[in-house]
Amino acid sequence: MAKDTANELRIVGTRPDRPDGLDKVTGRARYGADISAAGLLHGAVVRSPHAHARIVKIDASKALALSGVKAVVTRDDFPTGLTGEAWDLQENTMAGERALYDGHAVAAVAATSAQLARDAAKLIEVEYEILPHVTDVDAAMAPDAPIIREGAADHSVPDGLHPNVVRYIEFGHGDLEDGFAKADIVREHQYKTEAAHQGYIEPHACMGQMGADGKGEMWVCTQGHWYIRKMCTQVLGLDASQLRVTPSEIGGGFGGKTTIFMEPLSLALSRKAGGRPVKIVMSRSEVLRATGPTASASMDVKIGMTKDGKITAGSATFRMQGGAFAGAPVDMALYCAFAAYKVPALQHVGYDVLANRPKAAAYRAPGSPMAAFAVESLLDEMCNELGLDPLDVRVKNAAQSHETSSFGPKFGVIGLNETLAATQAHPNLSAPLGPNQGRGIASGFWFNHGGDTSVSMALGEDGTVTVSIGTPDIGGSRASMAMMAAETLEIPYDNVRVNIVETGALGVNEPTHGSRATFATGKATVEAAQGMIVEMCKRAAAKWGIEPDAVEWRDGAAHPAGPNAGEYPPMTIGEIGAAMSNTGGPIAGHHESVPAGVGESFGTHVVDVEVDPETGRTTILRYLVVQDAGRAIHPAYVEGQYQGGAVQGIGWALNEEYVYDDMGRLQNPVFLDYRVPVASDLPMIDTVIVEVPNPGHPYGVRGVGETGIAPPLPAVANAVAAATGVRMRHLPITPSKLLAAIKASKNG
Amino acid sequence: MVKIVLWSGLRRFTDGTLEFETAAPTLGRAMSDLVAQYPGLGPIFDQGVSVAIDGDIVPPNPAMALPDGAEVHFLQQMRGG
């Protein structure tokens, strides 16, 4: 069994060098665009300039007449008859009868150079009939809103709603009326957030090769190459096993690289170009226009509270648009909305709404940040009104282990109490504040996830170990897996190498998403190591002529389990590896499962801001993240996740938004105008790792990647309210909006 | 016996009832029994649901045994991640 108490651990909880460090600082790491192959062609995509338009005609004759242009594909080159989510993926990959958003792909071309491909794309003539469009979620639900896709609603949608409402969510518990009646104050407000992009530094890039025999290869920047395989083969009508997908190094994903965009186009172009490999690298503008941001949201929240801060009831009605396809994370938003609280009566209602925007993709704790903004902002307003300490109110109402959650099932062991206590004890909470400065506090939640997981591990002839995993490393998982393998095998960290292997090498793996990799792949790694230990003990037992269960594993070697087993010198892992050809052959461990025992994670953030009353600019003075990690395998990576989540949330709160003109065209598709926070905008983000071990993992791991993006939205808004006396209920809090609100409050 | 709890949005398909007791040995049997009683649940279940057994959110494996005394929550399918 793995050692499971902190003082027994040798490697877990330490901070060894990261295995990808040298590659990344020397440029040796190979990202999506770094691949090349003999006969390589380059692809370019023709995209709709209209938010909603019927495609009347596509004429590629001028492009195909150029020397060096090898293939053009349109939707006519894709199979027909797909349904459900497979159809959605195909339609988003390449528009059929209609372009559904600004940036929607309508054709693609492959040529002998990237420049020639771009020139050829400009020569592909597309005739459009412009149709009415809608990009705002509330407008898309209005009775006179243009219908984006008739019949797209699923069985959950009650009669009488606009056809743009494609999914309806409703759940809750308790007597809402009674709960509000027991409150001393009941307050209700509407909150809005805008679509924000994941903002990964590396644009999407892939190289696909597909021959007439139906066998294909793909090199791609992704969080999940089995998803790429499944989705590409669905969209193109191919057998999954005939496409081998190899992941590149990845320059950020944050959920946005768990699906397909232009990857099937490279395969379709390759097939049409005689099997030559086709590389497609998106520009930043393409990334912002055509890959998944998260949803925009319009949310009504109502809460009842007693004078001493007890929450008696709550309701949340959320409307989210996730582009022209179902999939806005309104369900997850509602599940997270009140998760940090024990509330006797709750009602949740959600609408997933179509709009003429790009298909939403997952973004770090999908839905949770919006929900946190609405609920945590209203709670803060009510605490202010009642003169209550916002942290005390959170403690008073905190969700508890083994008690019913806001979304129905009972929680397992959770660490919210410990997180709140660590927040209360932190010195940032007592740092003095000056004029125009304010402090905001908010909590957040994410479920975390298990998912299909497959890991293999092999012993080398010298006793070193190779671990093969299928979850791309977006947050330090190679280091974490090596540490857990080394801890379990009781060998040095440097004796383990972890490789992220292609789709032919393991069973199916879900992507690195849902904060699952350290939990699920880690659990499978420990299981695989334990399997290998069993085999190594067998080899030693055979040599010693004793029963395998009379052998125990410790200090990286097989030992007789006790005096009755006989007296033999330990057989080290190196000796076992050196002898394995003569003792039964290769030694390996593997594990495949959908692991249970996922541990939820809560976090609380405290932010101090200063607002310039002359310009409306908000400056972050200090920022604290306190979050339960279960157990931090590599604390530096955990801190990095906390800091990264906080920074992305700060960007969402203060700067980031998709801006459309009245024609439904995105107005800020470059980082100059879509402004993410940079290092010079921010102080060092302070972190506290709370460790309430998850009993569902051999080392107590909880996922840590996502919770951290939820609290910043309300924490920043609460701090701005404290600094200015102005409550901003529509993010982002840009200087111009805040300045206008400050002026209005003074005039009003 | 096993306690089954449906999300409240399914009330319109179940004559208002959201909690059930069942002796079904497996998750699949429990679901098919519910559909037999309330056919409106069929398309919902076919479309996909999320399931929590004693608080642990697990894949809706029809063969999964339901331990006596367990509490099984059906949740509208979680799609985030």
Side-chain angles (χ1 to χ4, degrees):
Chain A
M1 289 295 292
K3 293 178 179 175
D4 59 3
T5 57
N7 58 8
E8 290 181 307
L9 299 171
R10 299 174 306 115
I11 296 171
V12 166
T14 63
R15 300 173 183 238
D17 288 346
R18 48 192 296 172
D20 54 340
L22 187 64
D23 283 356
K24 285 182 174 167
V25 298
T26 60
R28 194 170 66 188
R30 285 180 297 166
Y31 290 90
D34 291 333
I35 190 72
S36 191
L40 182 68
L41 300 176
H42 298 265
V45 180
V46 181
R47 299 187 181 277
S48 169
H50 306 296
H52 194 192
R54 190 170 72 84
I55 300 169
V56 179
K57 186 175 148 190
I58 300 175
D59 182 354
S61 57
K62 289 179 184 168
L64 286 166
L66 285 181
S67 174
V69 172
K70 301 299 181 185
V72 169
V73 295
T74 66
R75 183 63 173 274
D76 290 342
D77 296 285
F78 289 74
T80 58
L82 275 62
T83 58
E85 290 183 21
W87 184 88
D88 285 358
L89 288 168
Q90 188 185 57
E91 180 75 6
N92 192 45
T93 296
M94 181 69 83
E97 295 176 359
R98 288 180 296 149
L100 296 170
Y101 57 89
D102 169 36
H104 198 171
V106 297
V109 57
T112 50
S113 75
Q115 184 60 55
L116 185 58
R118 287 194 290 271
D119 290 345
K122 290 175 188 163
L123 292 176
I124 295 175
E125 295 171 353
V126 185
E127 185 181 336
Y128 297 98
E129 176 193 340
I130 297 174
L131 301 171
H133 73 277
V134 60
T135 55
D136 177 76
V137 61
D138 291 319
M141 293 177 69
D144 60 346
I147 297 171
I148 294 171
R149 283 197 291 119
E150 191 77 66
D154 72 14
H155 295 283
S156 64
V157 181
D159 294 337
L161 293 174
H162 191 285
N164 289 343
V165 178
V166 292
R167 226 162 27 115
Y168 174 80
I169 294 97
E170 182 193 330
F171 64 95
H173 64 258
D175 186 335
L176 204 65
E177 202 173 318
D178 181 59
F180 285 128
K182 286 176 176 163
D184 292 309
I185 63 168
V186 177
R187 296 292 178 264
E188 182 174 17
H189 286 296
Q190 184 173 89
Y191 301 84
K192 291 188 174 186
T193 60
E194 293 301 325
H197 197 273
Q198 296 83 351
Y200 29 80
I201 296 298
E202 185 193 14
H204 295 264
C206 71
M207 183 186 75
Q209 186 166 23
M210 173 63 62
D213 57 359
K215 291 184 170 59
E217 298 274 350
M218 175 162 286
W219 165 272
V220 61
C221 167
T222 180
Q223 290 175 244
H225 35 308
W226 276 268
Y227 268 27
I228 292 282
R229 183 180 77 167
K230 179 175 76 173
M231 293 174 181
C232 282
T233 53
Q234 280 180 340
V235 162
L236 294 166
L238 303 168
D239 293 337
S241 60
Q242 296 304 323
L243 180 63
R244 187 170 70 158
V245 183
T246 303
S248 70
E249 193 64 71
I250 181 168
F254 312 111
K257 291 178 181 169
T258 57
T259 186
I260 55 169
F261 296 103
M262 78 306 181
E263 292 84 359
L265 303 182
S266 71
L267 294 168
L269 285 165
S270 174
R271 186 167 54 183
K272 213 165 176 182
R276 290 176 67 170
V278 176
K279 181 159 82 172
I280 301 179
V281 180
M282 280 193 179
S283 66
R284 181 61 59 189
S285 170
E286 286 181 294
V287 170
L288 288 167
R289 287 174 70 203
T291 71
T294 191
S296 61
S298 169
M299 301 168 285
D300 299 318
V301 179
K302 182 177 177 182
I303 294 175
M305 188 183 282
T306 61
K307 282 179 186 166
D308 62 350
K310 198 76 187 162
I311 302 171
T312 60
S315 69
T317 301
F318 291 178
R319 301 162 293 275
M320 292 189 184
Q321 69 72 31
F325 305 89
V330 64
D331 46 355
M332 303 309 289
L334 290 165
Y335 289 138
C336 294
F338 289 99
Y341 304 103
K342 190 167 58 173
V343 185
L346 286 172
Q347 184 184 46
H348 308 76
V349 174
Y351 302 87
D352 181 358
V353 184
L354 300 187
N356 292 112
R357 295 197 189 206
K359 187 177 191 301
Y363 180 21
R364 210 166 193 162
S368 189
M370 301 85 135
F373 172 59
V375 171
E376 297 288 291
S377 291
L378 182 54
L379 278 177
D380 192 68
E381 294 186 58
M382 296 175 77
C383 290
N384 290 342
E385 183 179 341
L386 292 170
L388 300 170
D389 181 283
L391 204 48
D392 288 346
V393 168
R394 282 165 175 82
V395 171
K396 185 184 285 267
N397 293 282
Q400 302 293 323
S401 298
H402 308 302
E403 293 190 0
T404 301
S405 67
S406 65
F407 48 90
K410 287 189 172 74
F411 281 120
V413 175
I414 57 174
L416 179 57
N417 287 338
E418 291 80 355
T419 303
L420 291 166
T423 307
Q424 285 177 311
H426 197 277
N428 279 23
L429 217 65
S430 53
L433 293 170
N436 302 313
Q437 296 180 356
R439 178 165 297 146
I441 292 168
S443 294
F445 166 79
W446 186 245
F447 289 90
N448 299 325
H449 182 53
D452 289 325
T453 308
S454 172
V455 165
S456 180
M457 184 178 295
L459 178 62
E461 301 87 331
D462 58 356
T464 61
V465 171
T466 304
V467 183
S468 298
I469 65 170
T471 39
D473 183 354
I474 57 174
S477 53
R478 276 170 293 198
S480 299
M481 299 315 140
M483 293 172 75
M484 284 185 269
E487 185 76 56
T488 307
L489 294 166
E490 304 190 40
I491 61 175
Y493 166 76
D494 289 336
N495 287 10
V496 182
R497 174 166 176 160
V498 178
N499 296 318
I500 297 142
V501 298
E502 45 96 352
T503 50
L506 289 174
V508 168
N509 274 276
E510 277 190 34
T512 303
H513 68 168
S515 295
R516 79 180 206 89
T518 311
F519 167 75
T521 307
K523 195 170 179 176
T525 297
V526 172
E527 295 277 357
Q530 287 170 342
M532 211 162 78
I533 287 171
V534 168
E535 182 59 27
M536 290 190 290
C537 287
K538 271 189 200 168
R539 302 292 175 98
K543 182 174 180 184
W544 295 333
I546 63 176
E547 291 299 314
D549 59 8
V551 178
E552 66 179 13
W553 189 264
R554 58 187 155 84
D555 300 329
H559 298 255
N564 294 338
E567 288 194 12
Y568 304 99
M571 195 170 177
T572 67
I573 191 169
E575 290 166 339
I576 294 170
M580 66 186 167
S581 295
N582 297 324
T583 61
I587 295 175
H590 65 98
H591 185 77
E592 297 78 29
S593 70
V594 179
V598 176
E600 303 92 340
S601 181
F602 289 91
T604 299
H605 293 199
V606 181
V607 57
D608 292 348
V609 305
E610 179 170 327
V611 175
D612 183 339
E614 302 296 320
T615 65
R617 177 187 162 86
T618 301
T619 301
I620 305 292
L621 300 173
R622 59 184 72 81
Y623 199 103
L624 170 66
V625 180
V626 183
Q627 188 179 321
D628 177 18
R631 176 161 290 129
I633 301 296
H634 191 306
Y637 275 115
V638 173
E639 290 160 357
Q641 288 292 323
Y642 290 4
Q643 292 165 328
V647 171
Q648 287 190 307
I650 290 167
W652 204 342
L654 292 178
N655 302 317
E656 297 178 41
E657 62 178 321
Y658 268 44
V659 178
Y660 285 92
D661 68 8
D662 57 7
M663 299 296 287
R665 291 175 177 149
L666 185 62
Q667 296 299 290
N668 55 340
V670 291
F671 272 160
L672 194 63
D673 298 321
Y674 182 93
R675 194 175 184 287
V676 300
V678 297
S680 57
D681 292 327
L682 297 164
M684 187 66 180
I685 307 291
D686 301 319
T687 58
V688 175
I689 300 174
V690 173
E691 292 189 313
V692 178
N694 169 22
H697 185 279
Y699 294 119
V701 166
R702 300 175 192 273
V704 298
E706 294 177 277
T707 301
I709 197 175
L713 283 69
V716 169
N718 294 343
V720 167
T724 63
V726 172
R727 176 60 60 174
M728 300 299 284
R729 300 193 183 98
H730 186 171
L731 299 183
I733 307 172
T734 59
S736 57
K737 277 165 66 178
L738 181 54
L739 190 60
I742 292 170
K743 284 181 178 172
S745 73
K746 284 178 180 165
N747 295 335
Chain B
M1 296 295 279
V2 172
K3 182 180 176 185
I4 303 276
V5 183
L6 303 180
W7 71 85
S8 62
L10 295 183
R11 191 182 290 116
R12 60 197 159 104
F13 301 108
T14 61
D15 303 331
T17 308
L18 294 174
E19 294 189 5
F20 304 85
E21 292 278 325
T22 179
T26 63
L27 179 64
R29 180 64 184 274
M31 292 173 76
S32 60
D33 287 352
L34 279 170
V35 172
Q37 194 175 354
Y38 302 108
L41 295 176
I44 305 287
F45 286 175
D46 289 346
Q47 197 170 285
V49 294
S50 293
V51 175
I53 299 182
D54 291 331
D56 206 4
I57 296 169
V58 295
N61 176 3
M64 183 178 293
L66 298 179
D68 189 37
E71 190 170 292
V72 179
H73 282 257
F74 286 87
L75 306 171
Q76 204 151 351
Q77 189 174 28
M78 295 178 163
R79 295 184 182 211

